[in-house]
Amino acid sequence: MRISFKQIRIGKLLAVLKGAVILPIKANSVGRLGRIAGRLMIRNKGKLVIGANVSFHAKPFPSSISVDRQAKLWVGDNVFFNYGLDIGCTKSIRIGDNTIIGPMVNIIDTNFHPVDVEDQSFSKDIVICNNVWIGRGVLILPGITIGQNSVIAAGSVVTRNIPDNVLAGGAPARVIREIHVPKEWVRRYN
């Protein structure tokens, strides 16, 4: 099966049009050329800021973003979100520029429910720095910072901070090795 150049252009055009209609209604601030392909559910009761050239590829499975009252979700420029995304923001989540978020990724800044009566679970900030790649099926838990240029391997559960320029993976995620990323190199430009 071959896809023609015209089909690709029409698909991207439709995604840009859908983004131009939906994102300004749902977000507090949106950069230019936002794209939505598939079904993206956004519930924003706080502050949602989306940078320029951000792409939501929500098919074949839908994606969901929830921003609670007084919570803040910032998405940088040139960010790509794959299908099955689930973001639960109750306090603060920041996603840096040129980041790739793989399919079926969960990012939550709270546990939502205490484990027991002594559990003092509170929402904790999540920071995903610039030029990061989050692999398929990763779970990012509250209070995590993922350093610049790092890669999180598929299926990982991120329970502690990840430094800059490393490949991390596992459950719980740990540093596997350092990676070489030149200063001006960007992981993705949509």
Side-chain angles (χ1 to χ4, degrees), residues 133-135 146-154 156 162-170 173-181 187:
W133 180 13
I134 309 291
I146 298 175
Q148 188 164 313
N149 303 317
S150 289
V151 176
I152 308 299
S156 298
I162 304 296
D164 295 350
N165 303 307
V166 298
L167 169 64
R174 62 176 178 75
V175 174
I176 296 169
R177 66 178 174 91
E178 289 187 18
I179 56 176
H180 173 69
V181 179
R187 193 166 301 287

Side-chain angles (χ1 to χ4, degrees), residues 22-38:
I22 294 173
L23 293 176
I25 293 169
K26 298 289 189 171
N28 300 86
S29 174
V30 180
R32 62 182 175 75
L33 290 177
R35 293 183 295 285
I36 300 173

